[in-house]
């Protein structure tokens, strides 16, 4: 389970695997550099948000949250399953 994850999938191509993988790594490095340490001000913390967020919320209004980005890269065939739409969420299993 990845929680609030971003899944990026490139379509199959005839390019060399090494070249495609290198571009994926470059993309991942840029994402990490841009988002690690990014601060988010949570000005909506209340009991309703606690229930909507699955139990994770800031303890006080106007508390800053800081993103910590972790990345993984895989190569090969993939199967993706779309589940839900519950509470406006889109859930994927890959």
């Amino acid at each position: 389970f990845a929680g609030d994850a971003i899944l990026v999938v490139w379509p199959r191509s005839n390019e060399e695997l090494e070249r495609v993988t290198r571009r994926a790594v470059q993309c991942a490095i840029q994402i990490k550099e841009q988002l690690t340490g990014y601060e988010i001000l949570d000005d909506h913390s209340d009991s309703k948000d606690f229930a909507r967020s699955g139990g994770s919320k800031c303890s006080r209004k106007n508390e800053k949250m800081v993103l910590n980005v972790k990345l993984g890269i895989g190569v090969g065939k993939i199967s993706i399953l779309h589940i839900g739409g519950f509470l406006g969420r889109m859930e994927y299993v890959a």
Side-chain angles (χ1 to χ4, degrees):
F1 178 72
D4 294 333
I6 299 171
L7 176 63
V8 180
V9 179
W10 278 269
R12 185 177 184 170
S13 74
N14 293 328
E15 291 184 75
E16 293 180 16
L17 182 59
E18 182 179 337
R19 182 180 173 138
V20 174
T21 304
R22 185 177 297 118
R23 285 202 325 253
V25 169
Q26 289 169 338
C27 181
I29 290 169
Q30 284 185 334
I31 290 170
K32 187 159 182 72
E33 287 174 350
Q34 294 282 326
L35 295 180
T36 296
Y38 187 86
E39 293 183 357
I40 300 169
L41 181 62
D42 183 11
D43 59 352
H44 301 291
S45 292
D46 62 19
S47 59
K48 291 177 197 165
D49 284 337
F50 181 78
R52 277 194 296 261
S53 67
S56 61
K57 75 169 190 114
C58 291
S59 58
R60 299 181 308 271
K61 277 192 171 189
N62 299 324
E63 183 173 340
K64 286 185 182 177
M65 295 182 288
V66 179
L67 291 181
N68 185 10
V69 178
K70 297 190 177 16
L71 301 160
I73 296 175
V75 176
K77 292 182 179 181
I78 185 171
S79 296
I80 300 175
L81 175 64
H82 173 245
I83 304 171
F86 183 68
L87 295 176
R89 298 179 184 170
M90 295 186 66
E91 305 285 337
Y92 290 91
V93 178

